[in-house]
Amino acid sequence: MKKQQLFITTIILLTISLSGYSQDNDSTVIRKFFNEALGNGKSYEWLRELTTKIGPRLSGSEGAKKAVNWGKNLLETGGYDRVFLQDVMVPHWVRGKKEEGYILNGKSKISVPLVALGGSINTPEKGLTAEVIEVKTFQELRDLGKEKCTGKIVFFNRPMDATKINTFEAYGQAGDQRRSGANEASKMGAIGVIIRSLSSTENDFPHTGSMQYATGVPLIPAAALSTNAATLLSKTLKKNPSLKFYFHQSCESLPDVLSHNVVAEIKGSEKPEEIIVVGGHLDSWDLAQGAHDDGTGIAQSMEVFRMFKALNIKPKHTIRVVLFMNEENGNRGGIKYADLAKVNNEKHIFAMESDNGGFTPRGFGIQGGSAEILSKIQGFRTLLSPYGLNEIERGSGGVDIGPLAPQGTVLVGFKPDAQRYFEYHHASNDRFETVNQRELEMGAASMASMIYLIDKNF
């Protein structure tokens, strides 16, 4: 009887010991990721190269072409199992010479910061001058009717909601005026549209971003004012509703151009047929260096791969890093990657994206998957919370990886602190020097830790 009790006790202690060993081992590995990123990290230097040596990388541009070559060459030095390109036909929109904008208030001519929205047509060669109709919503515009809007420039002046703690929620609620404002204004007879920049900060940096023209609606030029300029125009309109606005832009859409997604791969040791993706988008808008959007995501994703190799961690599943092309004005890289995954009968179980800036890590948003999968991932919080990663909940995965969702892929969006992101998003101040090295490296280690835990536990 005593022997039997001793045997049972031994088994229990062994089970506890093994369980503790597993948890301790995971904790040790995660600590190694942070030590490696903070002590020997390459992400900051890679970001410096991408942003300062290559610079703006709008799809179809020479900068985008250089970025593809840079990413491929850099990944080929990493000793991974495979590095390859995926052909993607992308839009080629060019801004042309610097835009001009003026408030014409009687004899007063006030210059204001203004940029064309991505995909917009140009103004007439001599520019566009007209009276201004200010509205905040599409319904307000429709209520005015064609009689009041025909021949005018419509000014959408709805700010991002400053009371929203989640700045991405505020951005989403304000974004329709940029995406579709030109169409709604054109339906009412307007000859041009200007919008308040989608920014959480009052400054003189106008923010660009993509817009789309609807079929069957006359095309009118579309531009964004800086938040300070929008406030000034609104105040001036209240004093003089008959003032006029002038703007000039030379942008045009050229034929599509061949570009590429850049892909690197580490083959899985146990389940090589199941794929986990980590990535960001290589393209950026043309106004600045594209540091937070999305140079940081590119540098962090490549750093995840480097750390797996440096720490000699052999994943069970095949892991891929993907540098997606054309997220900003078409998402053709993400769509092409998902299409090829389906054609090649590949099974993507998880995909992670970093496209929310290079700020202090907060957690991850989980899109798709069962309640059991979410619960299991949330169980990693014990291991991740010492590094500030407490927010693990339902949320958005990311634009580039979104097309994988219909194939059953669980999407994981890396979530840094977002309070400053929309100060730089799509604007000329999105530069390398705005990224903090330690925050960037903490993010890379956070992403590597989550990839490691997913790979081990699924």
Side-chain angles (χ1 to χ4, degrees):
M1 183 69 177
K2 288 183 178 180
K3 287 185 178 180
Q4 187 177 17
Q5 287 177 336
L6 180 61
F7 176 75
I8 292 171
T9 302
T10 302
I11 292 296
I12 291 172
L13 289 173
L14 181 60
T15 301
I16 293 172
S17 174
L18 288 173
S19 174
Y21 170 78
S22 176
Q23 185 81 351
D24 288 345
N25 186 55
D26 288 344
S27 179
T28 300
V29 171
I30 291 170
R31 180 71 256 184
K32 286 181 177 179
F33 278 130
F34 280 86
N35 288 348
E36 178 65 21
L38 295 169
N40 304 304
K42 302 296 183 185
S43 58
Y44 195 64
E45 189 53 41
W46 289 341
L47 179 66
R48 186 197 305 274
E49 291 178 7
L50 180 62
T51 56
T52 65
K53 293 184 179 180
I54 297 175
R57 309 172 295 280
L58 187 59
S59 294
S61 69
E62 189 63 25
K65 183 178 179 180
K66 289 179 180 178
V68 168
N69 292 332
W70 170 85
K72 179 175 181 288
N73 292 337
L74 190 55
L75 288 169
E76 284 177 337
T77 67
Y80 309 123
D81 294 317
R82 191 161 64 121
V83 177
F84 59 97
L85 300 179
Q86 294 178 331
D87 292 351
V88 186
M89 295 300 296
V90 299
H92 187 195
W93 178 84
V94 293
R95 184 172 301 279
K97 69 179 183 179
K98 184 175 175 59
E99 302 91 340
E100 294 180 279
Y102 297 98
I103 298 171
L104 305 175
N105 185 19
K107 294 181 180 180
S108 174
K109 181 180 179 181
I110 306 169
S111 177
V112 291
L114 169 146
V115 293
L117 294 180
S120 176
I121 63 169
N122 60 349
T123 58
E125 189 174 347
K126 293 183 178 181
L128 188 66
T129 303
E131 291 185 355
V132 179
I133 296 291
E134 178 181 352
V135 295
K136 283 185 167 57
T137 67
F138 292 165
Q139 189 57 54
E140 185 180 349
L141 175 67
R142 295 178 194 124
D143 290 344
L144 288 174
K146 280 191 173 184
E147 185 177 342
K148 291 185 178 180
C149 299
T150 297
K152 308 287 180 63
I153 294 173
V154 168
F155 169 37
F156 286 103
N157 189 31
R158 177 167 22 113
M160 288 175 55
D161 187 346
T163 67
K164 297 289 184 185
I165 304 303
N166 182 346
T167 56
F168 279 88
E169 183 180 355
Y171 173 72
Q173 290 177 352
D176 58 343
Q177 55 196 323
R178 189 194 74 201
R179 294 188 303 270
S180 304
N183 298 321
E184 297 301 318
S186 179
K187 291 174 187 177
M188 293 295 107
I191 58 173
V193 64
I194 50 178
I195 72 160
R196 181 188 190 90
S197 284
L198 303 184
S199 173
S200 55
T201 305
E202 295 288 327
N203 61 28
D204 292 317
F205 296 102
H207 295 231
T208 190
S210 64
M211 52 84 65
Q212 298 85 32
Y213 288 115
T215 303
V217 178
L219 309 188
I220 60 175
L225 294 169
S226 72
T227 48
N228 279 347
T231 298
L232 176 62
L233 176 58
S234 181
K235 288 180 178 178
T236 311
L237 271 170
K238 287 178 173 61
K239 296 177 181 178
N240 178 14
S242 299
L243 68 75
K244 293 186 177 181
F245 189 84
Y246 165 91
F247 72 110
H248 178 268
Q249 55 194 42
S250 306
C251 44
E252 61 178 323
S253 293
L254 302 174
D256 288 356
V257 173
L258 176 65
S259 190
H260 306 86
N261 293 329
V262 185
V263 186
E265 183 177 273
I266 299 174
K267 278 288 185 184
S269 59
E270 296 179 23
K271 300 179 180 179
E273 74 285 355
E274 296 183 353
I275 300 169
I276 299 171
V277 162
V278 58
H281 65 85
L282 197 53
D283 60 307
S284 75
W285 279 105
D286 56 323
L287 295 178
Q289 296 172 345
H292 284 290
D293 189 18
D294 183 30
T296 53
I298 291 296
Q300 288 170 330
S301 298
M302 294 195 302
E303 178 73 341
V304 169
F305 252 43
R306 187 197 68 79
M307 290 193 292
F308 265 76
K309 291 288 287 187
L311 299 177
N312 197 31
I313 296 173
K314 302 185 186 304
K316 294 193 309 180
H317 307 81
T318 291
I319 301 182
R320 284 182 182 170
V321 60
V322 184
L323 315 184
F324 293 96
M325 179 53 68
N326 185 231
E327 186 270 352
E328 293 293 5
N329 58 338
N331 195 29
R332 294 195 191 174
I335 294 168
K336 185 61 176 287
Y337 184 86
D339 286 347
L340 289 173
K342 188 172 183 179
V343 168
N344 296 327
N345 200 29
E346 294 175 342
K347 183 178 182 182
H348 286 70
I349 59 171
F350 283 89
M352 177 185 291
E353 181 161 7
S354 172
D355 186 19
N356 293 337
F359 305 103
T360 302
R362 295 289 185 234
F364 301 90
I366 313 301
Q367 181 180 343
S370 64
E372 290 75 19
I373 289 174
L374 176 63
S375 178
K376 195 170 185 178
I377 295 174
Q378 288 177 325
F380 302 155
R381 191 183 285 120
T382 302
L383 290 161
L384 298 175
S385 62
Y387 306 95
L389 298 164
N390 296 302
E391 300 176 21
I392 302 177
E393 56 202 16
R394 289 292 185 192
S396 173
V399 172
D400 293 289
I401 59 177
L404 286 168
Q407 299 179 31
T409 308
V410 180
L411 309 183
V412 182
F414 170 57
K415 291 173 58 179
D417 185 280
Q419 299 310 313
R420 290 172 287 160
Y421 183 63
F422 291 101
E423 181 177 344
Y424 308 112
H425 184 247
H426 296 176
S428 61
N429 58 343
D430 185 13
R431 300 177 59 82
F432 171 74
E433 57 267 23
T434 66
V435 178
N436 177 275
Q437 180 174 352
R438 188 171 179 84
E439 290 179 331
L440 179 73
E441 292 169 346
M442 288 283 288
S446 301
M447 293 164 62
S449 299
M450 179 58 86
I451 292 289
Y452 163 78
L453 292 171
I454 287 172
D455 175 65
K456 182 175 179 179
N457 290 280
F458 287 92

